[in-house]
Amino acid sequence: MEVNEPRLEIEYCTRCRWLPRATWMAQELLTTFEAELGEVSLVPGTNGVFEVRLDGESVWSRRTDAAFTDAAELKRLIRDRIAPEHHLGHSELPSDG
């Protein structure tokens, strides 16, 4: 079986019922990086895990980065690794505060 690269994995805790969050995040990332991502995989896990990995390397983890991140921050983290020239639209605009 061929693996398309870059490969993004979202591991989520099934006991915490985080599948909806994982699928929403996958949809957000696939929509934003449809030409840059080769594959997105949802990986069932346990023990409160919610981790996003790009080609096996952790990009963001609930365990080490505390609370959940928002989609805009995760998009920036992914973009910086796979498509630095990719503009993220309104999620990159500076806040008024």
Side-chain angles (χ1 to χ4, degrees):
M1 177 181 216
E2 184 178 332
V3 175
N4 299 315
E5 293 184 353
R7 183 174 196 267
L8 185 81
E9 294 178 340
I10 301 174
E11 185 176 2
Y12 64 95
C13 179
T14 57
R15 298 176 79 195
C16 301
R17 304 204 184 280
W18 286 339
L19 176 59
R21 180 183 293 269
T23 57
W24 172 75
M25 194 61 74
Q27 177 184 331
E28 287 289 314
L29 293 168
L30 280 168
T31 301
T32 302
F33 302 108
E34 62 186 26
E36 293 87 0
L37 286 173
E39 181 178 343
V40 174
S41 176
L42 299 177
V43 181
T46 57
N47 297 322
V49 67
F50 198 95
E51 183 172 5
V52 178
R53 293 183 293 268
L54 187 63
D55 291 332
E57 181 182 333
S58 182
V59 174
W60 181 87
S61 172
R62 184 177 166 274
R63 282 204 178 99
T64 57
D65 298 319
F68 282 104
T69 189
D70 63 2
E73 177 61 21
L74 193 50
K75 287 178 185 183
R76 283 190 289 275
L77 291 169
I78 299 296
R79 185 270 318 267
D80 291 350
R81 287 170 171 79
I82 66 170
E85 70 289 343
H86 188 105
H87 184 63
L88 297 176
H90 69 277
S91 62
E92 281 196 312
L93 297 176
S95 64
D96 292 335

